Amino acid sequence: MASDDVLYGLAISSSVGAGLIFRRIQGEENRRLLSTAIGFILLVFLCGYDIVHLLIAVLGNFLILCVPRLNNQCHVFGFVWNFGYLVVFRTVHYFGIPAPSAITNAAQLFLTLRMTGLGFDIHDSRSLHKISESAGDNERQEKAEDEQLSVKYTSINPSLKDVGCFAFCYIGSLTGPFYKYHIYQDWLRQENPDEISLLKPFLAKAKNLPFIAVAYLVFSFFFNIKYVETDAFYDNPFWFRLFYMVPMFTIFRTRLYTAWLLSECMCITAGFGAYPREAEAKCGTGPTNLKALDQSLKNKSKERAEYDFETVHSIDLWGCELAPTTKQGLRSWNMTVQYWLATYIHRRVPPALKAYRVSITMAVSAFWHGIHPGYYLSFLTVPPILMAEEAMIAAFRDGASPWQQQMFDWTCWFFKMRGFDYMCMGFLLLKLGSTLRYWQSVYFIGHLVTLAFFIIGTVTKQMKPKERKE
């Protein structure tokens, strides 16, 4: 195991333990300063001098919020600055500056999401206040409740100190999850954190960790991506080269599963993202039923409310592993980052570019991951797979008997996993030549099978007899 992985694992594990101590801290200001101190010390220890990159990124956001002309469009300038600095961050080695470590890269990525999302949320809060203030008395009475609850529970107006503390809060600084500022604010203001039951949700997340960690260690011992980059690898028979991507994807996803589950455990021990179940909290956005949340918080009865941690839910293991289609599998993967892409990119693409919003969202996602060609080769493979899948579903699953649908789902699941195996090699090999060399050694089987399924599904769908309309 690489030393970075050891440090990474120790840092996340210690953060899980820190939550138990943190829950005993009373007072919003005390909790804000302590969570920032833990996060900053952790980043200094792990990143060393590379933490300068994080500081520069945060200072740029400070400047945007300080200058009135920039502050009025803080969401636009924030997006340009944070993603623009990623270009600098990833190219400093061309100018004689040491390339940042892998751990610093992870911290920079999640800081980019956090700071960019903050700019959009500040802009949305201002718009919400303007709408509320412009309404007349009668009109305000009709819409008052919903607007007031939205202002009360989702509107934000952080100071520069608040922004700095939010940027370096230890929750999610290395692995995610992504969360909005108002969720962070709710956490700081928790009045009775001891009332939140942690054992059941913690065990629900932690119970799978030993099996996943063992699988990662075992497969990592026998298989290594560096072997694929050697000439000796391509002397092996076709079946071996084709098989090799299966353990590679197993290593890839179990490593991420471990990190994401530990990050959820870190949130749970700190009580972060905990909301009454009746508030109907959802991944990334927090409570969606603000009326129920307000009533729950005002309820002075001694009955202990039941809390959940859906706000910080990052990974659906069974969805990733057993969902029959690629679309369902993708939705179960790194869910809070997908929420960020949907909320701040996909839904905000200008109407003139609406036809291209999926492509724009995928391009932003690829750029956020990195500038390596392997990322883009893998991401560009996703749309054809989705198209082929939809064609096959329309041709063979729609209108079929329950038994036939079940057989189709298991077959679709098998090819879904092989598609992920195939695309994963781009994420691991990264370089254009290395990725294409491997795919060529297996005769671009992933692309050929996808094309075959698309043709078969399209032709069969057209040949199916149409239902008679009454």
Side-chain angles (χ1 to χ4, degrees):
M1 182 184 292
S3 58
D4 275 352
D5 284 347
V6 173
L7 292 173
Y8 202 67
L10 289 174
I12 301 173
S13 300
S14 62
S15 297
V16 174
L20 296 173
I21 301 173
F22 186 87
R23 291 181 73 243
R24 299 180 180 275
I25 304 300
Q26 298 294 325
E28 179 181 348
E29 187 65 16
N30 293 333
R31 291 165 69 86
R32 178 185 288 107
L33 295 177
L34 180 61
S35 61
T36 305
I38 294 173
F40 192 79
I41 293 171
L42 195 64
L43 290 171
V44 170
F45 174 73
L46 293 172
C47 303
Y49 293 110
D50 289 340
I51 198 173
V52 171
H53 291 289
L54 304 176
L55 292 171
I56 292 173
V58 174
L59 287 174
N61 286 279
F62 282 171
L63 179 64
I64 292 170
L65 293 174
C66 286
V67 178
R69 290 185 179 181
L70 301 180
N71 191 11
N72 292 334
Q73 295 293 321
C74 60
H75 59 307
V76 176
F77 289 107
F79 177 85
V80 172
W81 164 253
N82 289 300
F83 275 81
Y85 191 75
L86 280 182
V87 177
V88 177
F89 178 80
R90 290 163 175 165
T91 57
V92 292
H93 57 283
Y94 291 119
F95 303 97
I97 302 174
S101 65
I103 293 179
T104 308
N105 180 66
Q108 190 75 40
L109 291 179
F110 282 102
L111 180 67
T112 298
L113 297 186
R114 197 180 294 187
M115 291 292 96
T116 305
L118 178 64
F120 279 102
D121 290 342
I122 291 174
H123 177 265
D124 292 346
S125 295
R126 291 170 181 168
S127 301
L128 183 62
H129 278 285
K130 289 179 181 178
I131 294 172
S132 179
E133 292 172 0
S134 63
D137 292 338
N138 294 333
E139 189 179 0
R140 187 176 297 166
Q141 287 180 358
E142 295 176 0
K143 300 181 179 179
E145 188 174 4
D146 291 338
E147 289 178 354
Q148 288 175 3
L149 289 175
S150 295
V151 170
K152 181 179 179 180
Y153 290 110
T154 66
S155 179
I156 61 171
N157 185 29
S159 65
L160 291 181
K161 176 185 174 183
D162 295 333
V163 172
C165 292
F166 177 62
F168 292 105
C169 176
Y170 81 95
I171 299 289
S173 61
L174 296 172
T175 58
F178 165 78
Y179 50 86
K180 292 188 170 189
Y181 183 85
H182 75 84
I183 296 171
Y184 164 75
Q185 191 171 252
D186 291 344
W187 175 59
L188 296 178
R189 295 174 178 175
Q190 281 178 354
E191 294 183 358
N192 299 302
D194 292 337
E195 293 183 358
I196 302 172
S197 178
L198 306 181
L199 184 60
K200 185 176 179 180
F202 180 85
L203 292 178
K205 298 296 179 183
K207 66 182 181 181
N208 295 312
L209 276 170
F211 305 101
I212 295 170
V214 168
Y216 170 70
L217 293 172
V218 170
F219 278 90
S220 298
F221 182 80
F222 291 104
F223 303 95
N224 195 311
I225 192 61
K226 292 182 179 179
Y227 181 45
V228 183
E229 297 180 330
T230 65
D231 293 334
F233 174 82
Y234 296 96
D235 294 333
N236 291 297
F238 168 75
W239 69 265
F240 181 85
R241 300 194 302 270
L242 184 64
F243 161 77
Y244 208 82
M245 63 184 179
V246 177
M248 283 296 95
F249 182 51
T250 302
I251 295 170
F252 178 76
R253 69 183 190 272
T254 51
R255 182 174 182 269
L256 291 176
Y257 287 171
T258 302
W260 290 333
L261 286 173
L262 280 173
S263 72
E264 289 192 47
C265 290
M266 170 177 56
C267 293
I268 291 170
T269 58
F272 189 95
Y275 288 99
R277 190 171 295 278
E278 55 266 29
E280 300 174 16
K282 292 185 179 179
C283 168
T285 192
T288 58
N289 190 337
L290 297 182
K291 291 182 180 179
L293 174 65
D294 192 57
Q295 291 174 0
S296 177
L297 296 178
K298 289 180 178 178
N299 185 10
K300 297 182 180 180
S301 68
K302 296 183 179 180
E303 294 181 5
R304 194 170 185 176
E306 184 178 358
Y307 289 79
D308 64 37
F309 291 85
E310 288 302 311
T311 300
V312 292
H313 190 185
S314 294
I315 180 72
D316 179 358
L317 282 178
W318 299 113
C320 288
E321 294 294 319
L322 296 176
T325 66
T326 302
K327 180 181 288 187
Q328 292 171 318
L330 289 172
R331 287 177 176 173
S332 304
W333 178 273
N334 207 0
M335 293 158 63
T336 59
V337 173
Q338 290 197 58
Y339 168 82
W340 186 96
L341 288 166
T343 302
Y344 300 114
I345 306 299
H346 189 269
R347 296 172 189 167
R348 297 176 190 260
V349 172
L353 300 174
K354 187 175 180 180
Y356 305 100
R357 63 183 181 181
V358 174
S359 300
I360 292 172
T361 304
M362 295 294 287
V364 172
S365 178
F367 180 79
W368 178 77
H369 280 87
I371 57 176
H372 298 289
Y375 292 138
Y376 295 88
L377 290 173
S378 296
F379 275 111
L380 288 172
T381 308
V382 173
I385 288 178
L386 295 177
M387 291 170 62
E389 213 169 54
E390 290 176 0
M392 291 293 287
I393 289 172
F396 296 101
R397 194 183 191 281
D398 293 347
S401 67
W403 181 83
Q404 290 173 325
Q405 289 182 348
Q406 188 175 17
M407 293 300 297
F408 178 90
D409 287 344
W410 280 110
T411 305
C412 190
W413 167 83
F414 175 82
F415 283 103
K416 177 208 77 172
M417 296 304 292
R418 304 294 74 79
F420 282 136
D421 295 338
Y422 186 76
M423 290 185 289
C424 174
M425 298 305 288
F427 268 77
L428 295 175
L429 292 169
L430 298 177
K431 298 178 182 178
L432 177 66
S434 300
T435 303
L436 292 179
R437 185 186 186 189
Y438 175 78
W439 281 353
Q440 185 180 22
S441 75
V442 294
Y443 306 107
F444 293 96
I445 189 170
H447 291 88
L448 292 177
V449 170
T450 299
L451 178 61
F453 281 156
F454 178 75
I455 295 173
I456 293 171
T458 302
V459 172
T460 305
K461 180 175 64 174
Q462 293 177 349
M463 294 175 61
K464 286 178 69 175
K466 295 183 180 180
E467 295 181 359
R468 293 182 180 179
K469 295 182 179 180
E470 293 183 3

